[in-house]
Amino acid sequence: MSLRLVSAALAACFLSSGVIRAATGDRVLEIRAVVHDPLGQAGELFVPAQGGGVVKLELGPKALPKAQRVRTVKGSLVLLRSEDVDPAAPGKQLAAAVRVPPKLKRAIAVVFIGSRDSSKGNKILLFDDSSSAFPKGSSRLVNATSLELGIEAGEHKLGVKPWKTLLIPPVTRKDSYNMAQTSVFYRKKKSWVAFVERKLKYIDTAGRIEKFKSKFAAGYKSLTRGKKKPAEASADE
């Protein structure tokens, strides 16, 4: 079985504040959103705003944008195709939705676009963006395939189920350039088959996201986002 791959390496930036309560009882969630949309079908997406109404979702195709406070609807993060719609009854203007865990205060939303005209095939994966859940130097593997994946990154050997995310601790077995051998496998019956084998850079001052998608992909891309450094540190990551 062959797999196509899209990989994104995005620096983590830890932001202040979290969840507050809106007057309706719905929560206000702080998110940073990145989209996987290689065919360019998403267009603009909208979300319920913190203070009411609907606003444009700040969506990063190549990097994580600044954090945005959005309002949940009946416990879900709802993405809309139009700003002129009732978020509680969006009908065909619903692009995607996902339940928000009750204790989640700040999240990264990885949005997968599969259809321009409906929510069919669109998915959102949420994971905790707090510094304790996604610490600097760690990596997050996003498995957006229908297969169980395994990863060897430096000294770590871990697995992740379909449409789940995996936190990989900081990699310490790396060379003087902060590079470590990284291999990703998919399970075929009782065997593991490698489909990515390469060296990746792991640094201690930023987090990393790798997302794997077997559909709508066209090749391999590695995308990075710079992060402000202290004055005494290098400006390069």
Side-chain angles (χ1 to χ4, degrees):
M1 179 183 298
S2 63
L3 290 178
R4 293 175 185 156
L5 167 68
V6 169
S7 173
L10 305 170
C13 174
F14 300 106
L15 304 166
S16 62
S17 189
V19 171
I20 63 175
R21 293 283 176 178
T24 61
D26 283 325
R27 291 188 295 153
V28 174
L29 179 70
E30 189 175 81
I31 66 168
R32 295 186 292 160
V34 62
V35 65
H36 174 78
D37 182 29
L39 299 183
Q41 297 192 111
E44 289 187 332
L45 293 174
F46 301 87
V47 286
Q50 172 182 347
V54 174
V55 295
K56 181 181 176 182
L57 175 65
E58 298 298 328
L59 203 56
K62 296 183 179 181
L64 285 169
K66 292 182 179 180
Q68 182 177 12
R69 289 184 176 180
V70 303
R71 176 170 48 88
T72 63
V73 177
K74 298 178 182 178
S76 294
L77 172 63
V78 175
L79 304 188
L80 308 166
R81 298 191 181 279
S82 170
E83 57 186 329
D84 300 317
V85 65
D86 178 3
K92 293 183 178 180
Q93 297 303 314
L94 176 67
V98 65
R99 296 290 295 178
V100 179
K103 294 184 179 180
L104 187 62
K105 297 181 178 182
R106 199 164 69 225
I108 290 176
V110 186
V111 183
F112 295 89
I113 300 297
S115 173
R116 179 192 297 271
D117 301 320
S118 73
S119 61
K120 184 178 180 180
N122 300 338
K123 289 192 177 183
I124 308 169
L125 282 177
L126 282 180
F127 60 88
D128 196 334
D129 193 24
S130 66
S131 57
S132 58
F134 192 17
K136 295 177 182 179
S138 65
S139 304
R140 181 72 69 163
L141 177 67
V142 179
N143 181 4
T145 77
S146 60
L147 304 171
E148 184 178 359
L149 298 183
I151 185 168
E152 292 185 8
E155 67 272 27
H156 304 301
K157 295 182 179 181
L158 301 165
V160 59
K161 298 293 185 180
W163 288 102
K164 299 293 183 181
T165 70
L166 169 72
L167 182 68
I168 303 169
V171 172
T172 59
R173 189 189 298 167
K174 50 190 178 182
D175 62 23
S176 58
Y177 298 98
N178 291 317
M179 305 291 287
Q181 181 61 38
T182 304
S183 302
V184 182
F185 307 83
Y186 68 90
R187 183 186 288 278
K188 185 177 182 181
K189 296 182 179 179
K190 296 184 178 180
S191 300
W192 289 95
V193 181
F195 69 99
V196 175
E197 293 183 288
R198 61 174 298 181
K199 281 193 171 184
L200 294 177
K201 179 174 283 190
Y202 296 89
I203 55 179
D204 299 329
T205 56
R208 180 186 191 95
I209 300 173
E210 295 288 344
K211 59 186 174 72
F212 295 89
K213 186 81 169 67
S214 60
K215 199 173 183 181
F216 312 119
Y220 181 92
K221 295 182 180 179
S222 182
L223 310 174
T224 58
R225 173 178 185 261
K227 173 179 174 290
K228 278 190 174 182
K229 301 285 185 178
E232 67 273 15
S234 169
D236 297 328
E237 288 200 332

